[in-house]
Structure formats: structure tokens, C-alpha cells
Amino acid sequence: MTQAKARTRRPSETGDAAPAPQAESATRVLKKYPNRRLYDTRTSGYITLADVKKMVLDNEKFVVRDAKTSDDLTRSILLQIILEEETGGVPMFSSQMLAHVIRFYGHTMQGLMGSYLEKNIQAFTELQQRFSEQSGVVGSNGFSPEMWTQFMSVQAPMMQGLMTNYMEQSKALYVQMQEQMQKNAESLFPIPPAFGVGGKK
């Protein structure tokens, strides 16, 4: 009995040093259960979509996995957050824009369009960072929409220059996408030499 009790004692009770805690994983793992609840394996507690949104705003790396199958559900959770933002506040996407996006599903250019939009968002994010650095504004969280609009109007000349640079980058990305599409088409359907430039039929 004494030996059995000794084996069940915690390190702090026996005077031994407690094992060093393992380093937290760089990617936070969230588990989604059939009852639609999200479980944070780092904090060992349930969280809400609002908590996940905060992780996104804090640029924290995380992945959402199905508790039973371990399938990656990160995209579906992010889409839920976007849906709540679009229906609960001022929408970012117009109905016309969403219709355009839907039309690209199943289209031959679906993959290229997804890459094009992603690169444009990255370019716009870099534009925002440069604008913040040049204007001395660390972030826009402390600004109300009215204050931010007023600030942008004062900084119009600088903003115009940055937007021009952004539009040039966007145009370059579109040209690059077209060139890549043309190369893919040529590799799939090579033109016979007889029909090449200067060739005879």
C-alpha cells in the first residue's frame, strides 16, 4: 500500500523537480466537435468564433481540425467568420463582386484567378503597411471611420502615389497571369512547325 501510494504522488509532493514544460507549438491547434464547439488544445478550453477572429487579427498561426477525422477545417471556419462579418456589419463585398467570384468556380481560370486575388491582397497589405510607416500611424484600430476618412483626405497626395504604385503592381500581376496561361496553353497544344511563323501549310 505504501509503495503504491508513493508511485501515485506528484513530483511536487515527493520533493522532486517537476518536468520542464514542453515548448508551445508554433501552430495553435483547434479541434471542432460534432456539436460545433471549438476546443483549444493550448488552453484546454472551449472557444468561440470571436476568439478565432482575434487570433487572425493578432496574426497568430492556427489550424482547425475535425476532432474525429483530423481533417483540416480551417478554411470553413474562416469562411464562417467572413459570413458573420458580411451579415453583421458593413459588408466588404458587393453582390456584383460575389456573383463574379461565383462564376469563376468550375471555370478554366479558377486556379489562376484565386492566385491573382491572393497576390493582389498581399500587394494591398504591403501598401497599407507602407502607408502606415510613411504617415506615422501604427494602426487604424484607434480610429473611428469618420476620423480615418478625415485623415485619409489630408494625406490624399501621398495616398494617391501609393495607390498608383498598387495599381501598377496589380496590372503587372494580371499580365503575368496572362503570360502564364499562354505558356500553359502552348505546352498543352503545341503549334506544328508547318503553321509557325514563316512556315508553309
Side-chain angles (χ1 to χ4, degrees):
M1 293 291 292
T2 305
Q3 292 179 352
K5 290 182 179 180
R7 282 196 294 269
T8 58
R9 288 178 181 176
R10 298 177 180 176
S12 59
E13 295 173 347
T14 58
D16 298 333
Q22 296 181 351
E24 292 184 347
S25 175
T27 302
R28 198 165 180 171
V29 179
L30 311 177
K31 292 185 178 181
K32 187 175 184 297
Y33 286 87
N35 58 4
R36 297 184 178 181
R37 298 188 70 182
L38 293 170
Y39 182 80
D40 189 349
T41 59
R42 180 176 296 180
T43 61
S44 300
Y46 289 99
I47 61 175
T48 63
L49 281 180
D51 298 318
V52 181
K53 177 186 173 182
K54 187 177 186 304
M55 295 180 195
V56 176
L57 296 177
D58 293 340
N59 293 316
E60 186 171 357
K61 294 182 180 180
F62 66 90
V63 62
V64 183
R65 298 197 178 279
D66 188 283
K68 289 186 176 181
T69 64
S70 295
D71 292 339
D72 192 341
L73 304 178
T74 309
R75 290 182 66 257
S76 63
I77 295 299
L78 293 176
L79 287 171
Q80 287 183 37
I81 296 175
I82 292 175
L83 180 60
E84 285 197 355
E85 292 294 322
E86 287 290 307
T87 57
V90 180
M92 184 183 302
F93 305 105
S94 65
S95 298
Q96 184 178 4
M97 179 180 178
L98 291 174
H100 282 311
V101 172
I102 292 173
R103 293 188 187 102
F104 274 102
Y105 284 101
H107 195 278
T108 54
M109 292 183 62
Q110 176 178 338
L112 292 175
M113 179 55 64
S115 177
Y116 175 70
L117 293 175
E118 183 176 359
K119 290 179 179 179
N120 262 276
I121 291 177
Q122 291 176 352
F124 192 83
T125 301
E126 294 175 0
L127 168 72
Q128 184 186 32
Q129 292 175 349
R130 275 182 287 170
F131 174 71
S132 298
E133 292 172 358
Q134 295 183 22
S135 62
V137 178
V138 178
S140 60
N141 293 334
F143 282 78
S144 65
E146 294 78 11
M147 292 175 61
W148 184 252
T149 301
Q150 183 179 1
F151 178 80
M152 293 285 282
S153 62
V154 175
Q155 301 293 333
M158 180 179 65
M159 191 61 187
Q160 183 177 2
L162 291 174
M163 283 301 296
T164 301
N165 185 33
Y166 166 71
M167 294 302 295
E168 291 176 353
Q169 290 184 35
S170 180
K171 181 180 178 181
L173 286 173
Y174 182 75
V175 172
Q176 182 182 0
M177 182 180 68
Q178 283 188 319
E179 292 176 349
Q180 184 63 39
M181 184 176 61
Q182 183 176 358
K183 290 180 181 178
N184 293 340
E186 291 175 353
S187 63
L188 292 174
F189 308 101
I191 302 176
F195 294 89
V197 179
K200 296 181 180 180
K201 186 174 179 180

